[in-house]
Amino acid sequence: MWLSPHAWRRRLVFWVGAILVGAISVVFAKAADWAQLLFHGMRSEAWWSPLLLTPIGFVVSVWLVRKVFPGSEGSGIPQAIAARHLRTHDERQHLLALPIAAGKILLTLLGLACGASIGREGPTVQIGAAIMLRLARFGEIAHERGLILAGSAAGISAAFNTPLAGVVFAIEEMSRAFEQRTNGLVLTAVILAGIASLGLVGNYSYFGSTQATVVQQADWLLVAVCGIGGGFFGGVFSGTILAGSRWARRVITTHPLQRSLLIAGFCGLAVAVIGVATNGATFGTGYEQAKSAVEGQALPATFWLAKLVSSLLSTLSGIPGGIFAPALAVGAGFGSMVAEVLGSDAISLAVVLGMAGYFAGVVQAPMTAFVIILEMTGNNGNVIPLMIAAMLGYGTSRLVAPQPLYRSLAWGFIEAERARQAERVRHEAAAAPPEVPKG
């Protein structure tokens, strides 16, 4: 078996796929940075330009989603989760085809180039899953569900340079279990994607680094407030997304394209107004603001709330784009505000605790939250406080929004695909010639 040419072909195809996910993640990250620089360059030339550029960009993006790249909307994580629950390759292709992955990249870059408050990490999950699904067919690898899981984990690992978080994300969010037959696939994919990322950009901390830890009793108050408060607002964000998505589906039922474009235009205009009012702070991923806060620079007290609303509108608009980086920026701003209100000098500590509480509240995946922040900031001395903040955030969020965000959105894609398959069966049955009675 080990020396079988067919087995070696499968291994080589899988290894190439994992390395490809890592390389594409790096290129995507560089392109995302360029798109944001392009937008801010235009904004610096004319402060009012987002008031035109952002709503127009949102409308164009949603039109392309509807007409050219159906299935590319939103984060991309729900599509990858849904694909694991579908039964056939053809069903999965409607969510993870390579043209959809290409559209995901292009339209996420378009969103960043017009000021949307979105991230690239969720889209990287869908892209990684799509690459692995395509190579599964090319390499004649039967276990498609395992490869989708591996591609998703590799995407998170390469996007954040957090290999351990990639594995935890696969366990906690994508599969809710670690199947023995897929653990090797996930670990190998994460390792190879990580090697590709390291080879192209080197080792780095995504949000800078901090050595701030809990050193006195007053710091535990920061843990409690950031965990509970972050979780509450994360739950509000998550619940509003789910309620808003259901409302949007009802509203666009009779005129899907026209009303989708109208919603996108309104959301884009609102995002532009907030961005102009905050002097551009809420546009884009929020990476720069979060990085500066992690390194000890206080953020404006209202930044987190403005960023939360801007991210909410960007998500509800229906454009492709993730919520990971904006959520971490919101959490950083919330932690900074808490430190200011409580009169604490431990800004960096409050920031990472706020990131853990809010992020865990949004995605309701506490292990992923504290591991990803631990790896991103390089602070190994803060494990227990981060774990507590993440668990407090998760527990509080569950009280506010009982339904997990990604899982709930995934079921929408599953139900839509099942309805499409049922309609296809009815159409084929109606088109079939009637049976001629024998005799």
Side-chain angles (χ1 to χ4, degrees), residues 374-411:
L374 196 68
E375 284 192 284
M376 283 191 309
T377 58
N379 187 355
N380 295 323
N382 216 24
V383 175
I384 298 300
L386 278 176
M387 290 176 68
I388 293 172
M391 286 303 299
L392 287 173
Y394 167 72
T396 306
S397 176
R398 292 282 291 174
L399 296 175
V400 178
Q403 296 177 314
L405 177 61
Y406 289 138
R407 292 268 152 182
S408 300
L409 293 175
W411 276 110

PDB file of all heavy atoms in Angstrom, residues 374-411:
ATOM      1  N   LEU A 374      -3.599  34.046  21.218  1.00  0.00           N
ATOM      2  CA  LEU A 374      -2.333  33.679  21.853  1.00  0.00           C
ATOM      3  C   LEU A 374      -1.222  33.577  20.815  1.00  0.00           C
ATOM      4  O   LEU A 374      -0.126  34.124  20.993  1.00  0.00           O
ATOM      5  CB  LEU A 374      -2.509  32.338  22.578  1.00  0.00           C
ATOM      6  CG  LEU A 374      -1.460  31.949  23.611  1.00  0.00           C
ATOM      7  CD1 LEU A 374      -1.540  32.864  24.818  1.00  0.00           C
ATOM      8  CD2 LEU A 374      -1.671  30.502  24.042  1.00  0.00           C
ATOM      9  N   GLU A 375      -1.510  32.918  19.708  1.00  0.00           N
ATOM     10  CA  GLU A 375      -0.497  32.759  18.663  1.00  0.00           C
ATOM     11  C   GLU A 375      -0.221  34.063  17.930  1.00  0.00           C
ATOM     12  O   GLU A 375       0.912  34.357  17.555  1.00  0.00           O
ATOM     13  CB  GLU A 375      -0.945  31.695  17.660  1.00  0.00           C
ATOM     14  CG  GLU A 375      -0.793  30.268  18.151  1.00  0.00           C
ATOM     15  CD  GLU A 375      -0.968  29.258  17.032  1.00  0.00           C
ATOM     16  OE1 GLU A 375      -2.132  29.032  16.638  1.00  0.00           O
ATOM     17  OE2 GLU A 375       0.044  28.718  16.559  1.00  0.00           O
ATOM     18  N   MET A 376      -1.272  34.862  17.705  1.00  0.00           N
ATOM     19  CA  MET A 376      -1.096  36.097  16.950  1.00  0.00           C
ATOM     20  C   MET A 376      -0.269  37.138  17.692  1.00  0.00           C
ATOM     21  O   MET A 376       0.418  37.935  17.072  1.00  0.00           O
ATOM     22  CB  MET A 376      -2.455  36.708  16.599  1.00  0.00           C
ATOM     23  CG  MET A 376      -3.167  36.032  15.464  1.00  0.00           C
ATOM     24  SD  MET A 376      -4.586  36.997  14.926  1.00  0.00           S
ATOM     25  CE  MET A 376      -5.429  37.270  16.463  1.00  0.00           C
ATOM     26  N   THR A 377      -0.368  37.148  19.019  1.00  0.00           N
ATOM     27  CA  THR A 377       0.324  38.176  19.788  1.00  0.00           C
ATOM     28  C   THR A 377       1.602  37.657  20.451  1.00  0.00           C
ATOM     29  O   THR A 377       2.338  38.452  21.046  1.00  0.00           O
ATOM     30  CB  THR A 377      -0.601  38.736  20.888  1.00  0.00           C
ATOM     31  OG1 THR A 377      -1.036  37.670  21.745  1.00  0.00           O
ATOM     32  CG2 THR A 377      -1.827  39.392  20.269  1.00  0.00           C
ATOM     33  N   GLY A 378       1.864  36.355  20.368  1.00  0.00           N
ATOM     34  CA  GLY A 378       3.102  35.800  20.897  1.00  0.00           C
ATOM     35  C   GLY A 378       3.233  35.906  22.404  1.00  0.00           C
ATOM     36  O   GLY A 378       4.344  35.954  22.927  1.00  0.00           O
ATOM     37  N   ASN A 379       2.100  35.950  23.129  1.00  0.00           N
ATOM     38  CA  ASN A 379       2.128  36.132  24.583  1.00  0.00           C
ATOM     39  C   ASN A 379       1.767  34.832  25.283  1.00  0.00           C
ATOM     40  O   ASN A 379       0.605  34.571  25.580  1.00  0.00           O
ATOM     41  CB  ASN A 379       1.148  37.251  24.965  1.00  0.00           C
ATOM     42  CG  ASN A 379       1.252  37.614  26.438  1.00  0.00           C
ATOM     43  OD1 ASN A 379       1.981  36.985  27.201  1.00  0.00           O
ATOM     44  ND2 ASN A 379       0.516  38.627  26.835  1.00  0.00           N
ATOM     45  N   ASN A 380       2.769  34.019  25.555  1.00  0.00           N
ATOM     46  CA  ASN A 380       2.521  32.717  26.168  1.00  0.00           C
ATOM     47  C   ASN A 380       2.316  32.797  27.674  1.00  0.00           C
ATOM     48  O   ASN A 380       1.960  31.794  28.307  1.00  0.00           O
ATOM     49  CB  ASN A 380       3.691  31.771  25.864  1.00  0.00           C
ATOM     50  CG  ASN A 380       3.800  31.467  24.385  1.00  0.00           C
ATOM     51  OD1 ASN A 380       2.797  31.338  23.700  1.00  0.00           O
ATOM     52  ND2 ASN A 380       5.027  31.375  23.881  1.00  0.00           N
ATOM     53  N   GLY A 381       2.514  33.960  28.267  1.00  0.00           N
ATOM     54  CA  GLY A 381       2.339  34.095  29.702  1.00  0.00           C
ATOM     55  C   GLY A 381       0.934  34.487  30.108  1.00  0.00           C
ATOM     56  O   GLY A 381       0.676  34.727  31.289  1.00  0.00           O
ATOM     57  N   ASN A 382       0.032  34.563  29.143  1.00  0.00           N
ATOM     58  CA  ASN A 382      -1.310  35.059  29.418  1.00  0.00           C
ATOM     59  C   ASN A 382      -2.380  34.006  29.133  1.00  0.00           C
ATOM     60  O   ASN A 382      -3.522  34.351  28.843  1.00  0.00           O
ATOM     61  CB  ASN A 382      -1.577  36.301  28.566  1.00  0.00           C
ATOM     62  CG  ASN A 382      -2.409  37.338  29.280  1.00  0.00           C
ATOM     63  OD1 ASN A 382      -2.451  37.389  30.497  1.00  0.00           O
ATOM     64  ND2 ASN A 382      -3.078  38.179  28.518  1.00  0.00           N
ATOM     65  N   VAL A 383      -2.011  32.740  29.218  1.00  0.00           N
ATOM     66  CA  VAL A 383      -2.905  31.667  28.783  1.00  0.00           C
ATOM     67  C   VAL A 383      -4.183  31.618  29.615  1.00  0.00           C
ATOM     68  O   VAL A 383      -5.295  31.636  29.071  1.00  0.00           O
ATOM     69  CB  VAL A 383      -2.175  30.304  28.843  1.00  0.00           C
ATOM     70  CG1 VAL A 383      -3.137  29.177  28.509  1.00  0.00           C
ATOM     71  CG2 VAL A 383      -0.999  30.292  27.888  1.00  0.00           C
ATOM     72  N   ILE A 384      -4.055  31.550  30.919  1.00  0.00           N
ATOM     73  CA  ILE A 384      -5.233  31.387  31.781  1.00  0.00           C
ATOM     74  C   ILE A 384      -6.177  32.587  31.685  1.00  0.00           C
ATOM     75  O   ILE A 384      -7.397  32.403  31.510  1.00  0.00           O
ATOM     76  CB  ILE A 384      -4.819  31.126  33.244  1.00  0.00           C
ATOM     77  CG1 ILE A 384      -4.012  29.824  33.341  1.00  0.00           C
ATOM     78  CG2 ILE A 384      -6.052  31.056  34.132  1.00  0.00           C
ATOM     79  CD1 ILE A 384      -4.765  28.594  32.862  1.00  0.00           C
ATOM     80  N   PRO A 385      -5.706  33.833  31.780  1.00  0.00           N
ATOM     81  CA  PRO A 385      -6.628  34.962  31.624  1.00  0.00           C
ATOM     82  C   PRO A 385      -7.336  34.972  30.270  1.00  0.00           C
ATOM     83  O   PRO A 385      -8.539  35.279  30.201  1.00  0.00           O
ATOM     84  CB  PRO A 385      -5.718  36.184  31.781  1.00  0.00           C
ATOM     85  CG  PRO A 385      -4.596  35.699  32.637  1.00  0.00           C
ATOM     86  CD  PRO A 385      -4.366  34.292  32.199  1.00  0.00           C
ATOM     87  N   LEU A 386      -6.624  34.636  29.207  1.00  0.00           N
ATOM     88  CA  LEU A 386      -7.263  34.590  27.884  1.00  0.00           C
ATOM     89  C   LEU A 386      -8.321  33.494  27.825  1.00  0.00           C
ATOM     90  O   LEU A 386      -9.402  33.693  27.249  1.00  0.00           O
ATOM     91  CB  LEU A 386      -6.211  34.354  26.791  1.00  0.00           C
ATOM     92  CG  LEU A 386      -5.428  35.569  26.307  1.00  0.00           C
ATOM     93  CD1 LEU A 386      -4.369  35.142  25.297  1.00  0.00           C
ATOM     94  CD2 LEU A 386      -6.354  36.611  25.685  1.00  0.00           C
ATOM     95  N   MET A 387      -8.022  32.346  28.415  1.00  0.00           N
ATOM     96  CA  MET A 387      -9.000  31.259  28.440  1.00  0.00           C
ATOM     97  C   MET A 387     -10.252  31.682  29.204  1.00  0.00           C
ATOM     98  O   MET A 387     -11.383  31.426  28.765  1.00  0.00           O
ATOM     99  CB  MET A 387      -8.384  30.007  29.081  1.00  0.00           C
ATOM    100  CG  MET A 387      -7.323  29.337  28.253  1.00  0.00           C
ATOM    101  SD  MET A 387      -6.549  27.945  29.121  1.00  0.00           S
ATOM    102  CE  MET A 387      -7.913  26.794  29.192  1.00  0.00           C
ATOM    103  N   ILE A 388     -10.053  32.344  30.337  1.00  0.00           N
ATOM    104  CA  ILE A 388     -11.204  32.769  31.139  1.00  0.00           C
ATOM    105  C   ILE A 388     -12.028  33.803  30.378  1.00  0.00           C
ATOM    106  O   ILE A 388     -13.267  33.718  30.347  1.00  0.00           O
ATOM    107  CB  ILE A 388     -10.727  33.330  32.493  1.00  0.00           C
ATOM    108  CG1 ILE A 388     -10.101  32.218  33.336  1.00  0.00           C
ATOM    109  CG2 ILE A 388     -11.894  33.972  33.248  1.00  0.00           C
ATOM    110  CD1 ILE A 388      -9.440  32.720  34.612  1.00  0.00           C
ATOM    111  N   ALA A 389     -11.359  34.785  29.772  1.00  0.00           N
ATOM    112  CA  ALA A 389     -12.075  35.811  29.009  1.00  0.00           C
ATOM    113  C   ALA A 389     -12.865  35.188  27.862  1.00  0.00           C
ATOM    114  O   ALA A 389     -14.017  35.558  27.600  1.00  0.00           O
ATOM    115  CB  ALA A 389     -11.098  36.861  28.478  1.00  0.00           C
ATOM    116  N   ALA A 390     -12.240  34.221  27.172  1.00  0.00           N
ATOM    117  CA  ALA A 390     -12.920  33.569  26.054  1.00  0.00           C
ATOM    118  C   ALA A 390     -14.123  32.762  26.539  1.00  0.00           C
ATOM    119  O   ALA A 390     -15.192  32.785  25.910  1.00  0.00           O
ATOM    120  CB  ALA A 390     -11.947  32.664  25.302  1.00  0.00           C
ATOM    121  N   MET A 391     -13.988  32.058  27.647  1.00  0.00           N
ATOM    122  CA  MET A 391     -15.107  31.276  28.158  1.00  0.00           C
ATOM    123  C   MET A 391     -16.232  32.167  28.678  1.00  0.00           C
ATOM    124  O   MET A 391     -17.413  31.876  28.480  1.00  0.00           O
ATOM    125  CB  MET A 391     -14.631  30.345  29.276  1.00  0.00           C
ATOM    126  CG  MET A 391     -13.818  29.152  28.782  1.00  0.00           C
ATOM    127  SD  MET A 391     -14.730  28.153  27.571  1.00  0.00           S
ATOM    128  CE  MET A 391     -16.137  27.620  28.551  1.00  0.00           C
ATOM    129  N   LEU A 392     -15.879  33.276  29.333  1.00  0.00           N
ATOM    130  CA  LEU A 392     -16.902  34.226  29.763  1.00  0.00           C
ATOM    131  C   LEU A 392     -17.619  34.825  28.554  1.00  0.00           C
ATOM    132  O   LEU A 392     -18.847  34.992  28.565  1.00  0.00           O
ATOM    133  CB  LEU A 392     -16.269  35.340  30.602  1.00  0.00           C
ATOM    134  CG  LEU A 392     -15.818  34.959  32.019  1.00  0.00           C
ATOM    135  CD1 LEU A 392     -15.048  36.115  32.654  1.00  0.00           C
ATOM    136  CD2 LEU A 392     -17.004  34.573  32.885  1.00  0.00           C
ATOM    137  N   GLY A 393     -16.852  35.149  27.518  1.00  0.00           N
ATOM    138  CA  GLY A 393     -17.451  35.682  26.303  1.00  0.00           C
ATOM    139  C   GLY A 393     -18.383  34.688  25.644  1.00  0.00           C
ATOM    140  O   GLY A 393     -19.492  35.041  25.206  1.00  0.00           O
ATOM    141  N   TYR A 394     -17.948  33.445  25.583  1.00  0.00           N
ATOM    142  CA  TYR A 394     -18.774  32.388  24.988  1.00  0.00           C
ATOM    143  C   TYR A 394     -20.067  32.187  25.776  1.00  0.00           C
ATOM    144  O   TYR A 394     -21.161  32.138  25.197  1.00  0.00           O
ATOM    145  CB  TYR A 394     -17.963  31.088  24.942  1.00  0.00           C
ATOM    146  CG  TYR A 394     -18.773  29.855  24.641  1.00  0.00           C
ATOM    147  CD1 TYR A 394     -19.276  29.621  23.366  1.00  0.00           C
ATOM    148  CD2 TYR A 394     -19.039  28.921  25.645  1.00  0.00           C
ATOM    149  CE1 TYR A 394     -20.022  28.478  23.091  1.00  0.00           C
ATOM    150  CE2 TYR A 394     -19.776  27.784  25.379  1.00  0.00           C
ATOM    151  CZ  TYR A 394     -20.268  27.566  24.098  1.00  0.00           C
ATOM    152  OH  TYR A 394     -21.015  26.457  23.841  1.00  0.00           O
ATOM    153  N   GLY A 395     -19.952  32.074  27.096  1.00  0.00           N
ATOM    154  CA  GLY A 395     -21.129  31.831  27.914  1.00  0.00           C
ATOM    155  C   GLY A 395     -22.122  32.978  27.857  1.00  0.00           C
ATOM    156  O   GLY A 395     -23.339  32.763  27.746  1.00  0.00           O
ATOM    157  N   THR A 396     -21.621  34.216  27.895  1.00  0.00           N
ATOM    158  CA  THR A 396     -22.509  35.378  27.809  1.00  0.00           C
ATOM    159  C   THR A 396     -23.183  35.450  26.453  1.00  0.00           C
ATOM    160  O   THR A 396     -24.377  35.748  26.341  1.00  0.00           O
ATOM    161  CB  THR A 396     -21.709  36.665  28.074  1.00  0.00           C
ATOM    162  OG1 THR A 396     -21.015  36.563  29.315  1.00  0.00           O
ATOM    163  CG2 THR A 396     -22.631  37.874  28.109  1.00  0.00           C
ATOM    164  N   SER A 397     -22.420  35.185  25.410  1.00  0.00           N
ATOM    165  CA  SER A 397     -22.973  35.237  24.056  1.00  0.00           C
ATOM    166  C   SER A 397     -24.090  34.221  23.869  1.00  0.00           C
ATOM    167  O   SER A 397     -25.099  34.506  23.201  1.00  0.00           O
ATOM    168  CB  SER A 397     -21.860  34.984  23.034  1.00  0.00           C
ATOM    169  OG  SER A 397     -22.378  34.926  21.723  1.00  0.00           O
ATOM    170  N   ARG A 398     -23.938  33.047  24.458  1.00  0.00           N
ATOM    171  CA  ARG A 398     -24.966  32.018  24.326  1.00  0.00           C
ATOM    172  C   ARG A 398     -26.291  32.460  24.947  1.00  0.00           C
ATOM    173  O   ARG A 398     -27.359  32.046  24.504  1.00  0.00           O
ATOM    174  CB  ARG A 398     -24.500  30.728  24.995  1.00  0.00           C
ATOM    175  CG  ARG A 398     -23.331  30.051  24.289  1.00  0.00           C
ATOM    176  CD  ARG A 398     -23.778  29.293  23.058  1.00  0.00           C
ATOM    177  NE  ARG A 398     -24.565  28.120  23.405  1.00  0.00           N
ATOM    178  CZ  ARG A 398     -25.173  27.338  22.530  1.00  0.00           C
ATOM    179  NH1 ARG A 398     -25.110  27.653  21.239  1.00  0.00           N
ATOM    180  NH2 ARG A 398     -25.862  26.286  22.915  1.00  0.00           N
ATOM    181  N   LEU A 399     -26.214  33.290  25.982  1.00  0.00           N
ATOM    182  CA  LEU A 399     -27.441  33.814  26.587  1.00  0.00           C
ATOM    183  C   LEU A 399     -28.127  34.822  25.667  1.00  0.00           C
ATOM    184  O   LEU A 399     -29.353  34.905  25.627  1.00  0.00           O
ATOM    185  CB  LEU A 399     -27.119  34.478  27.932  1.00  0.00           C
ATOM    186  CG  LEU A 399     -26.561  33.568  29.027  1.00  0.00           C
ATOM    187  CD1 LEU A 399     -26.182  34.387  30.255  1.00  0.00           C
ATOM    188  CD2 LEU A 399     -27.570  32.485  29.402  1.00  0.00           C
ATOM    189  N   VAL A 400     -27.311  35.580  24.922  1.00  0.00           N
ATOM    190  CA  VAL A 400     -27.852  36.618  24.038  1.00  0.00           C
ATOM    191  C   VAL A 400     -28.284  36.033  22.695  1.00  0.00           C
ATOM    192  O   VAL A 400     -29.338  36.383  22.152  1.00  0.00           O
ATOM    193  CB  VAL A 400     -26.797  37.721  23.820  1.00  0.00           C
ATOM    194  CG1 VAL A 400     -27.313  38.792  22.852  1.00  0.00           C
ATOM    195  CG2 VAL A 400     -26.390  38.350  25.142  1.00  0.00           C
ATOM    196  N   ALA A 401     -27.459  35.148  22.144  1.00  0.00           N
ATOM    197  CA  ALA A 401     -27.714  34.561  20.819  1.00  0.00           C
ATOM    198  C   ALA A 401     -27.506  33.052  20.911  1.00  0.00           C
ATOM    199  O   ALA A 401     -26.391  32.567  20.694  1.00  0.00           O
ATOM    200  CB  ALA A 401     -26.776  35.177  19.772  1.00  0.00           C
ATOM    201  N   PRO A 402     -28.548  32.292  21.225  1.00  0.00           N
ATOM    202  CA  PRO A 402     -28.389  30.843  21.422  1.00  0.00           C
ATOM    203  C   PRO A 402     -27.917  30.090  20.183  1.00  0.00           C
ATOM    204  O   PRO A 402     -27.321  29.020  20.305  1.00  0.00           O
ATOM    205  CB  PRO A 402     -29.799  30.387  21.834  1.00  0.00           C
ATOM    206  CG  PRO A 402     -30.477  31.616  22.321  1.00  0.00           C
ATOM    207  CD  PRO A 402     -29.912  32.747  21.509  1.00  0.00           C
ATOM    208  N   GLN A 403     -28.185  30.626  18.981  1.00  0.00           N
ATOM    209  CA  GLN A 403     -27.805  29.925  17.756  1.00  0.00           C
ATOM    210  C   GLN A 403     -26.407  30.357  17.304  1.00  0.00           C
ATOM    211  O   GLN A 403     -26.161  31.550  17.105  1.00  0.00           O
ATOM    212  CB  GLN A 403     -28.802  30.225  16.644  1.00  0.00           C
ATOM    213  CG  GLN A 403     -30.211  29.723  16.908  1.00  0.00           C
ATOM    214  CD  GLN A 403     -31.156  30.118  15.788  1.00  0.00           C
ATOM    215  OE1 GLN A 403     -31.179  31.247  15.316  1.00  0.00           O
ATOM    216  NE2 GLN A 403     -31.944  29.159  15.343  1.00  0.00           N
ATOM    217  N   PRO A 404     -25.461  29.422  17.132  1.00  0.00           N
ATOM    218  CA  PRO A 404     -24.128  29.782  16.641  1.00  0.00           C
ATOM    219  C   PRO A 404     -24.201  30.389  15.244  1.00  0.00           C
ATOM    220  O   PRO A 404     -24.967  29.932  14.389  1.00  0.00           O
ATOM    221  CB  PRO A 404     -23.383  28.438  16.617  1.00  0.00           C
ATOM    222  CG  PRO A 404     -24.174  27.540  17.493  1.00  0.00           C
ATOM    223  CD  PRO A 404     -25.590  27.984  17.398  1.00  0.00           C
ATOM    224  N   LEU A 405     -23.414  31.419  15.006  1.00  0.00           N
ATOM    225  CA  LEU A 405     -23.498  32.186  13.766  1.00  0.00           C
ATOM    226  C   LEU A 405     -23.205  31.339  12.531  1.00  0.00           C
ATOM    227  O   LEU A 405     -24.033  31.220  11.624  1.00  0.00           O
ATOM    228  CB  LEU A 405     -22.528  33.368  13.831  1.00  0.00           C
ATOM    229  CG  LEU A 405     -22.436  34.251  12.579  1.00  0.00           C
ATOM    230  CD1 LEU A 405     -23.778  34.891  12.266  1.00  0.00           C
ATOM    231  CD2 LEU A 405     -21.359  35.309  12.764  1.00  0.00           C
ATOM    232  N   TYR A 406     -22.020  30.747  12.456  1.00  0.00           N
ATOM    233  CA  TYR A 406     -21.620  30.042  11.240  1.00  0.00           C
ATOM    234  C   TYR A 406     -22.474  28.807  10.987  1.00  0.00           C
ATOM    235  O   TYR A 406     -22.824  28.503   9.845  1.00  0.00           O
ATOM    236  CB  TYR A 406     -20.141  29.640  11.323  1.00  0.00           C
ATOM    237  CG  TYR A 406     -19.185  30.799  11.215  1.00  0.00           C
ATOM    238  CD1 TYR A 406     -18.060  30.878  12.035  1.00  0.00           C
ATOM    239  CD2 TYR A 406     -19.386  31.817  10.291  1.00  0.00           C
ATOM    240  CE1 TYR A 406     -17.166  31.934  11.943  1.00  0.00           C
ATOM    241  CE2 TYR A 406     -18.505  32.873  10.190  1.00  0.00           C
ATOM    242  CZ  TYR A 406     -17.390  32.928  11.028  1.00  0.00           C
ATOM    243  OH  TYR A 406     -16.515  33.982  10.927  1.00  0.00           O
ATOM    244  N   ARG A 407     -22.801  28.089  12.046  1.00  0.00           N
ATOM    245  CA  ARG A 407     -23.624  26.887  11.875  1.00  0.00           C
ATOM    246  C   ARG A 407     -25.015  27.254  11.352  1.00  0.00           C
ATOM    247  O   ARG A 407     -25.566  26.572  10.489  1.00  0.00           O
ATOM    248  CB  ARG A 407     -23.753  26.153  13.213  1.00  0.00           C
ATOM    249  CG  ARG A 407     -22.463  25.537  13.688  1.00  0.00           C
ATOM    250  CD  ARG A 407     -22.334  24.119  13.225  1.00  0.00           C
ATOM    251  NE  ARG A 407     -20.926  23.760  13.083  1.00  0.00           N
ATOM    252  CZ  ARG A 407     -20.508  22.593  12.649  1.00  0.00           C
ATOM    253  NH1 ARG A 407     -21.377  21.683  12.258  1.00  0.00           N
ATOM    254  NH2 ARG A 407     -19.232  22.325  12.522  1.00  0.00           N
ATOM    255  N   SER A 408     -25.581  28.316  11.886  1.00  0.00           N
ATOM    256  CA  SER A 408     -26.911  28.735  11.447  1.00  0.00           C
ATOM    257  C   SER A 408     -26.887  29.197   9.993  1.00  0.00           C
ATOM    258  O   SER A 408     -27.779  28.862   9.208  1.00  0.00           O
ATOM    259  CB  SER A 408     -27.426  29.858  12.346  1.00  0.00           C
ATOM    260  OG  SER A 408     -27.520  29.429  13.688  1.00  0.00           O
ATOM    261  N   LEU A 409     -25.875  29.971   9.617  1.00  0.00           N
ATOM    262  CA  LEU A 409     -25.766  30.415   8.228  1.00  0.00           C
ATOM    263  C   LEU A 409     -25.518  29.223   7.301  1.00  0.00           C
ATOM    264  O   LEU A 409     -26.009  29.198   6.169  1.00  0.00           O
ATOM    265  CB  LEU A 409     -24.638  31.435   8.088  1.00  0.00           C
ATOM    266  CG  LEU A 409     -24.858  32.778   8.787  1.00  0.00           C
ATOM    267  CD1 LEU A 409     -23.600  33.644   8.669  1.00  0.00           C
ATOM    268  CD2 LEU A 409     -26.052  33.517   8.196  1.00  0.00           C
ATOM    269  N   ALA A 410     -24.763  28.237   7.776  1.00  0.00           N
ATOM    270  CA  ALA A 410     -24.492  27.043   6.961  1.00  0.00           C
ATOM    271  C   ALA A 410     -25.776  26.301   6.629  1.00  0.00           C
ATOM    272  O   ALA A 410     -25.966  25.809   5.513  1.00  0.00           O
ATOM    273  CB  ALA A 410     -23.505  26.121   7.676  1.00  0.00           C
ATOM    274  N   TRP A 411     -26.705  26.214   7.590  1.00  0.00           N
ATOM    275  CA  TRP A 411     -27.956  25.500   7.331  1.00  0.00           C
ATOM    276  C   TRP A 411     -28.780  26.198   6.267  1.00  0.00           C
ATOM    277  O   TRP A 411     -29.527  25.551   5.537  1.00  0.00           O
ATOM    278  CB  TRP A 411     -28.754  25.344   8.628  1.00  0.00           C
ATOM    279  CG  TRP A 411     -28.300  24.163   9.420  1.00  0.00           C
ATOM    280  CD1 TRP A 411     -27.634  24.166  10.599  1.00  0.00           C
ATOM    281  CD2 TRP A 411     -28.442  22.784   9.041  1.00  0.00           C
ATOM    282  NE1 TRP A 411     -27.348  22.879  10.991  1.00  0.00           N
ATOM    283  CE2 TRP A 411     -27.841  22.011  10.059  1.00  0.00           C
ATOM    284  CE3 TRP A 411     -29.016  22.135   7.959  1.00  0.00           C
ATOM    285  CZ2 TRP A 411     -27.795  20.624  10.018  1.00  0.00           C
ATOM    286  CZ3 TRP A 411     -28.968  20.745   7.915  1.00  0.00           C
ATOM    287  CH2 TRP A 411     -28.379  20.012   8.933  1.00  0.00           C
TER     288      TRP A 411
END
